[in-house]
Amino acid sequence: MEKRLMHKAQRISSLVATGGLLLALGCAGTLDQVAAREANKALPQSWDSRQAGASDAGAQAPATAQKRWNEFFADADLKALIKTALMNNQELNMRLQEILIAKYEIAARQGEILPKVSGKAGLGLEKVGEYTSQGASDKANGVPDHLPNFAFGFTASWEADIWGKLRNAAAAANHRYLASIEAKDFVVTEIVAEIANSYYELAALDTQIGVIERNVKILDEALTVIKFEKMAARATELAVQKFQAEVLKNKSRTYDLAQQRVEVENRINLLLGRFPQPIARNPRRLDALAPGTVVTGLPSQLLANRPDVKQAEMALEAAKLDVQVAKARFYPSLGIDADAGYKAFNPAHLIDTPQSLTYNVAGNLVAPLLNRASIEAEYGSANAKQVQAVFNFERTLLKAFTEVANALAMTQNIKHRHEQLSRQVETLRKATEVSGILYRSAHADYMEVLM
């Protein structure tokens, strides 16, 4: 008899396993064959040949992008502003919270892989019908009509990760965690660059305002001279009006530059996470600045140097794993549930062993049959998001390459412009000397000397 029951149980187990396998194969055969699109990571072998001043010596020297921000700047005031921003900037602090969220998400996904164990305790009261088989049996054995029920013990459940669904979900969460770190690093880069740019813009505005104020002072003195010359019949009212107009024009321009200076100061304060206040700065630092040589490295190093590119790459890997997680939902899942504890109608016998001991173990193989529409929708959505992540990565890579190319071109053009302006300043100095000589020899008027 026992052999017959064992043989029957083995046949049932074989039928269940075979049915589960057929369900899995059937589900796999009906999936839409949506191939995951691979990202194109190909980059040009070198930067634009028109940027002749940039160095591609990435194999021999470290690229400029590999330097830390404090290696770029020697100005103590600027460094202090950047340090304050890295502590107080709200957007950066939001990114730090996103890193924590992603870290907790990893722990949650990894926790789903492990068995779940819970403790339980219960107290109840049961009354069965007298004209039921259990009621008649209880009455015949003298069991009370209102039967208390005391119980405590443990429950456990575990899903066998046969298709890697849970492991892939944990791996996807880990990639998103790494992407959040890269996103934070990219925000740091943007903050440092914007503060430095605004700081030097502020110093340049200070210098411009200083130059205009000196010009106004000179023009005021010249206006006085022209008025005396008019009184001596050596100049006309037209010359007086010209100088007066120049004075007013320069004074009005001072107010425009002063407004720009206020806006730049407030922009820096916003990046520092504080209300408007004066910005400490050293305008003389502009005199020591000159365009230098930029070591670009190879274009392929963008993947290692740019946080935004690495963030997009991590997001792409996470999207690929999300597709595998969504696909695994079509297949049967194997769950194991177990209970163990003590149960009795009399608390005096609650921990009697083995009389009050109760336990059970069950395995369940569950496969979707009629609710496939929602799973198919999730699978299609995961594929679409994966393709979207591919396009986002390719766009980020293209944008990064273009920004570097533009920056290299700007560096070279600023260098050439600096050279031309230096020559222009030297030429104007010579013209000033010549105009003074001509004025003293009565071959030029005072307006030409000043202009």
Side-chain angles (χ1 to χ4, degrees):
M1 182 67 178
E2 292 182 359
K3 291 183 178 180
R4 185 181 301 173
L5 290 174
M6 291 180 60
H7 181 66
K8 188 175 182 179
Q10 289 176 355
R11 289 183 59 190
I12 293 175
S13 300
S14 300
L15 288 173
V16 171
T18 304
L21 181 59
L22 291 174
L23 284 172
L25 293 175
C27 293
T30 57
L31 290 180
D32 293 334
Q33 299 299 322
V34 182
R37 185 184 182 280
E38 293 297 329
N40 181 14
K41 298 183 180 181
L43 286 170
Q45 295 298 319
S46 61
W47 303 103
D48 192 339
S49 59
R50 292 173 293 179
Q51 299 147 8
S55 172
D56 286 349
Q60 292 79 18
T64 303
Q66 294 174 340
K67 294 183 179 179
R68 297 180 61 84
W69 68 264
N70 53 6
E71 298 178 23
F72 282 97
F73 312 113
D75 193 313
D77 292 328
L78 175 57
K79 286 185 176 182
L81 292 173
I82 294 174
K83 289 179 180 179
T84 302
L86 296 182
M87 289 187 295
N88 300 335
N89 184 268
Q90 287 86 356
E91 183 178 357
L92 180 57
N93 286 320
M94 289 170 60
R95 295 291 182 179
L96 292 175
Q97 296 306 310
E98 289 181 1
I99 293 176
L100 288 177
I101 293 171
K103 185 177 181 179
Y104 291 134
E105 183 68 17
I106 294 176
R109 292 290 173 262
Q110 290 177 342
E112 293 179 356
I113 301 176
L114 303 175
K116 299 176 179 63
V117 180
S118 304
K120 66 175 183 177
L123 172 64
L125 184 66
E126 182 182 15
K127 198 275 181 188
V128 298
E130 185 178 348
Y131 296 109
T132 62
S133 60
Q134 183 180 347
S137 176
D138 289 348
K139 185 175 182 180
N141 290 281
V143 178
D145 291 340
H146 297 86
L147 188 66
N149 186 17
F150 302 91
F152 74 92
F154 301 92
T155 63
S157 62
W158 178 61
E159 180 180 352
D161 194 18
I162 302 174
W163 316 109
K165 177 178 67 175
L166 303 179
R167 292 191 299 273
N168 286 333
N174 184 64
H175 282 296
R176 289 193 174 89
Y177 168 71
L178 297 176
S180 67
I181 295 177
E182 298 299 339
K184 183 267 296 182
D185 291 342
F186 186 60
V187 170
V188 169
T189 302
E190 288 185 318
I191 290 174
V192 171
E194 191 167 354
I195 289 178
N197 183 67
S198 299
Y199 179 83
Y200 288 119
E201 182 180 352
L202 192 58
L205 287 170
D206 289 337
T207 303
Q208 284 183 277
I209 291 175
V211 169
I212 291 178
E213 288 175 346
R214 290 196 298 272
N215 285 344
V216 169
K217 184 178 180 181
I218 293 173
L219 289 171
D220 276 332
E221 295 174 353
L223 180 60
T224 303
V225 172
I226 290 296
K227 287 180 179 180
F228 280 120
E229 287 188 344
K230 177 190 173 186
M231 294 172 61
R234 295 186 58 186
T236 63
E237 180 65 20
L238 177 61
V240 174
Q241 295 298 326
K242 283 184 178 181
F243 273 96
Q244 185 69 44
E246 284 295 321
V247 171
L248 295 175
K249 182 181 74 173
N250 282 273
K251 285 184 177 180
S252 64
R253 191 181 175 198
T254 303
Y255 293 113
D256 291 336
L257 293 175
Q259 176 61 28
Q260 293 181 33
R261 181 167 62 182
V262 170
E263 293 177 358
V264 174
E265 277 190 318
N266 290 341
R267 185 197 312 158
I268 294 175
N269 283 313
L270 181 62
L271 291 170
L272 269 58
R274 67 189 189 188
F275 290 101
Q277 57 185 273
I279 299 295
R281 56 194 180 270
N282 182 7
R284 295 182 180 178
R285 291 296 306 173
L286 283 177
D287 299 335
L289 293 177
T293 302
V294 177
V295 182
T296 64
L298 300 174
S300 58
Q301 290 177 318
L302 273 177
L303 297 174
N305 293 337
R306 293 276 301 214
D308 54 339
V309 176
K310 290 191 283 187
Q311 176 193 0
E313 188 177 27
M314 291 296 102
L316 176 59
E317 295 301 322
K320 289 180 181 179
L321 292 169
D322 286 339
V323 173
Q324 299 302 319
V325 172
K327 187 176 181 180
R329 292 193 177 99
F330 285 97
Y331 304 137
S333 60
L334 175 61
I336 299 176
D337 298 306
D339 287 277
Y342 289 88
K343 186 174 183 182
F345 61 83
N346 189 338
H349 302 289
L350 184 58
I351 58 174
D352 288 351
T353 306
Q355 291 85 352
S356 297
L357 180 64
T358 176
Y359 56 85
N360 67 79
V361 179
N364 301 301
L365 191 64
V366 181
L369 294 177
L370 299 179
N371 62 336
R372 289 172 53 86
S374 62
I375 302 177
E376 289 175 355
E378 290 179 5
Y379 180 66
S381 175
N383 275 282
K385 289 179 180 179
Q386 190 273 338
V387 176
Q388 186 182 53
V390 168
F391 288 127
N392 179 63
F393 172 80
E394 293 177 347
R395 181 189 65 177
T396 304
L397 187 61
L398 178 61
K399 180 182 177 182
F401 186 90
T402 304
E403 286 179 355
V404 173
N406 289 342
L408 292 176
M410 182 181 66
T411 301
Q412 296 307 308
N413 289 328
I414 287 177
K415 185 176 181 180
H416 295 322
R417 186 167 182 265
H418 182 270
E419 294 172 354
Q420 296 300 320
L421 287 175
S422 299
R423 294 174 60 186
Q424 180 185 1
V425 168
E426 185 62 29
T427 302
L428 289 174
R429 284 175 179 168
K430 293 179 180 178
T432 302
E433 296 175 1
V434 172
S435 64
I437 295 172
L438 292 174
Y439 175 73
R440 288 190 293 272
S441 61
H443 288 83
D445 58 25
Y446 199 59
M447 172 67 80
E448 294 182 20
V449 175
L450 290 172
M451 299 308 294

